Amino acid sequence: MKKIILIRHGKSAWDKPFLADHERPLAERGLRDVPIMGERLLRRGLKPDLILSSSAKRAIQTAEIIASYLEYSKNDIVSEKNLYHCSPEIILKYLRMQKDKFDLIFVFGHNPGFNDLIERLGGKIDNLPTSGLYGFRFDTDHWAEISAENASFWFLDFPKKKKK
């Protein structure tokens, strides 16, 4: 079984209107919410075999903060410029290229690509919030074979989600 957790970057700062979108850092709220999600992943015992991230500053910052909670080296985060505001097809392409030795992959990125990918894989969501997590399981042992046909919803979590 292969598993992915899509992790939308934390809330980004808009206080410098002339800063290129790719260079926008996390806002104060993002810096508050991302550690909450890191703690939740740690409590669930979820540690990635691989972290793929958009190269956008806010996505990399989010990946680095989460990685620090899970004892995953920041140096092992794979930053990919093609994951910046990309289509679901591009995300799937990068996932399908991965080595089968990896079972759990975290992907850090953006909407609308994540929302579109969730729907394409059969998930239901209106909008994955900033710092939100959406997990899928795939009934296959090979990344090259992941698809909507073998995908199933695993979990959804986000900072404002009420605990049961």
Side-chain angles (χ1 to χ4, degrees), residues 29-47:
R29 188 174 110 201
L31 292 168
R32 180 192 71 222
D33 289 348
V34 173
I36 291 168
M37 302 316 294
E39 284 283 342
R40 290 184 188 174
L41 287 164
L42 182 62
R43 276 189 305 222
R44 284 177 171 262
L46 297 175
K47 295 188 178 185

Side-chain angles (χ1 to χ4, degrees), residues 94-154:
Y94 277 89
L95 287 167
R96 289 177 178 145
M97 292 172 22
Q98 299 311 312
K99 295 180 177 137
D100 289 332
K101 69 179 183 177
F102 303 127
D103 289 322
L104 174 56
I105 297 178
F106 287 9
V107 184
F108 290 81
H110 314 269
N111 279 343
F114 276 177
N115 288 339
D116 294 344
L117 178 60
I118 290 165
E119 289 185 15
R120 179 169 172 169
L121 292 174
K124 304 287 184 232
I125 197 160
D126 290 326
N127 182 54
L128 183 62
T130 53
S131 304
L133 315 172
Y134 198 104
F136 279 102
R137 291 183 175 125
F138 298 92
D139 189 18
T140 180
D141 292 325
H142 307 287
W143 286 108
E145 296 174 358
I146 65 169
S147 68
E149 288 73 33
N150 58 27
S152 61
F153 171 76
W154 183 11

Side-chain angles (χ1 to χ4, degrees), residues 19-122:
L19 192 62
D21 181 69
H22 191 270
E23 300 307 315
R24 281 191 297 113
L26 291 177
E28 187 175 315
R29 188 174 110 201
L31 292 168
R32 180 192 71 222
D33 289 348
V34 173
I36 291 168
M37 302 316 294
E39 284 283 342
R40 290 184 188 174
L41 287 164
L42 182 62
R43 276 189 305 222
R44 284 177 171 262
L46 297 175
K47 295 188 178 185
D49 298 311
L50 177 67
I51 291 180
L52 298 175
S53 180
S54 156
S55 59
K57 184 170 187 170
R58 60 194 178 273
I60 291 292
Q61 284 181 291
T62 302
E64 288 177 346
I65 292 168
I66 296 283
S68 72
Y69 280 83
L70 306 176
E71 298 175 1
Y72 187 96
S73 172
K74 292 178 188 180
N75 295 329
D76 292 334
I77 294 170
V78 177
S79 173
E80 178 49 62
K81 66 180 179 178
N82 292 322
L83 292 176
Y84 172 65
H85 284 300
C86 66
S87 68
E89 291 78 19
I90 297 295
I91 300 167
L92 284 171
K93 174 186 169 188
Y94 277 89
L95 287 167
R96 289 177 178 145
M97 292 172 22
Q98 299 311 312
K99 295 180 177 137
D100 289 332
K101 69 179 183 177
F102 303 127
D103 289 322
L104 174 56
I105 297 178
F106 287 9
V107 184
F108 290 81
H110 314 269
N111 279 343
F114 276 177
N115 288 339
D116 294 344
L117 178 60
I118 290 165
E119 289 185 15
R120 179 169 172 169
L121 292 174

